[in-house]
Amino acid sequence: MSKIGIIVASSNNNLKLGLKLQELAKTVSCEAELINLVDYNLPLYSQVEEETNGIPESVLDLATKIMDLKAFIIVAPEYNGVMPPVLNNAMAWTSRATKNWRDAFNDKVVALATHSGGGGQKGLQAMRIMFQHLGANILAREILTTYEKQLNDDSAVKIINSLVKLSKI
């Protein structure tokens, strides 16, 4: 059975979207591990924080989970036209917890998803820029839901199947 990660940066509507994507993955015989970054309650990354307290065990746990997967769906809301701080912070810590800062995402396949009350396109664009910089191969198709636009299950399943297929190449 194939396995993907669903990295969520929310405890509200984007978490619900992540759980729905996890459910859809099961319908196509794909295991999906949901990783909610909010649950990690990471300290704000800074060089001073790292030098003073080192890399937290929770970051090492997160980095290990990410390293063990080949494909992901990143599910995060748009905050002020970009990604939420919890996502940016977790990726900053993750890049510091690996031997090479790109190790966690380099050559991995990533799909982007958001539930947004304010459009979501800018948040998706910000995530695309960050994960491309980290070395990930980002799918062209994205998942964008709003209060008026619900998830298209067929489209989501196609994206999940693409992740599975491309992560095996």
Side-chain angles (χ1 to χ4, degrees):
M1 178 181 283
S2 297
K3 183 176 180 180
I4 64 171
I6 300 175
I7 298 177
V8 178
S10 171
S11 57
N12 294 313
N13 289 314
N14 282 274
L15 176 57
K16 291 176 188 174
L17 177 56
L19 291 167
K20 177 64 176 176
L21 293 169
Q22 184 179 38
E23 179 184 308
L24 289 173
K26 290 178 188 175
T27 68
V28 292
S29 299
C30 176
E31 182 183 349
E33 179 178 0
L34 192 126
I35 302 167
N36 192 348
L37 300 175
V38 174
D39 295 340
Y40 282 84
N41 198 27
L42 300 175
L44 181 62
Y45 179 81
S46 73
Q47 190 173 10
V48 172
E49 174 68 25
E50 182 181 352
E51 288 171 356
T52 303
N53 298 310
I55 296 175
E57 285 296 320
S58 57
V59 171
L60 297 173
D61 176 59
L62 175 61
T64 299
K65 285 181 179 183
I66 291 172
M67 294 281 292
D68 288 344
L69 295 164
K70 294 181 181 177
F72 306 89
I73 302 173
I74 309 295
V75 185
E78 181 179 276
Y79 275 50
N80 300 320
V82 293
M83 70 197 93
V86 69
L87 177 59
N88 192 43
N89 188 52
M91 294 307 99
W93 274 114
T94 300
S95 71
R96 297 294 297 154
T98 57
K99 184 176 179 183
N100 178 300
W101 63 277
R102 284 189 166 132
D103 284 346
F105 287 98
N106 204 30
D107 294 328
K108 297 191 178 177
V109 186
V110 172
L112 303 174
T114 188
H115 174 86
S116 177
Q121 285 299 328
K122 290 179 181 178
L124 289 168
Q125 182 181 15
M127 289 189 288
R128 180 174 295 279
I129 290 167
M130 180 173 68
F131 286 102
Q132 283 177 334
H133 187 73
L134 289 171
N137 297 305
I138 314 296
L139 293 184
R141 294 179 73 175
E142 301 167 328
I143 297 169
L144 172 58
T145 65
T146 66
Y147 294 106
E148 295 80 33
K149 181 184 172 212
Q150 300 302 306
L151 179 66
N152 179 325
D153 290 2
D154 291 337
S155 180
V157 165
K158 287 178 182 175
I159 289 171
I160 291 166
N161 283 329
S162 291
L163 285 173
V164 170
K165 179 181 175 186
L166 291 170
S167 66
K168 290 182 179 179
I169 294 175

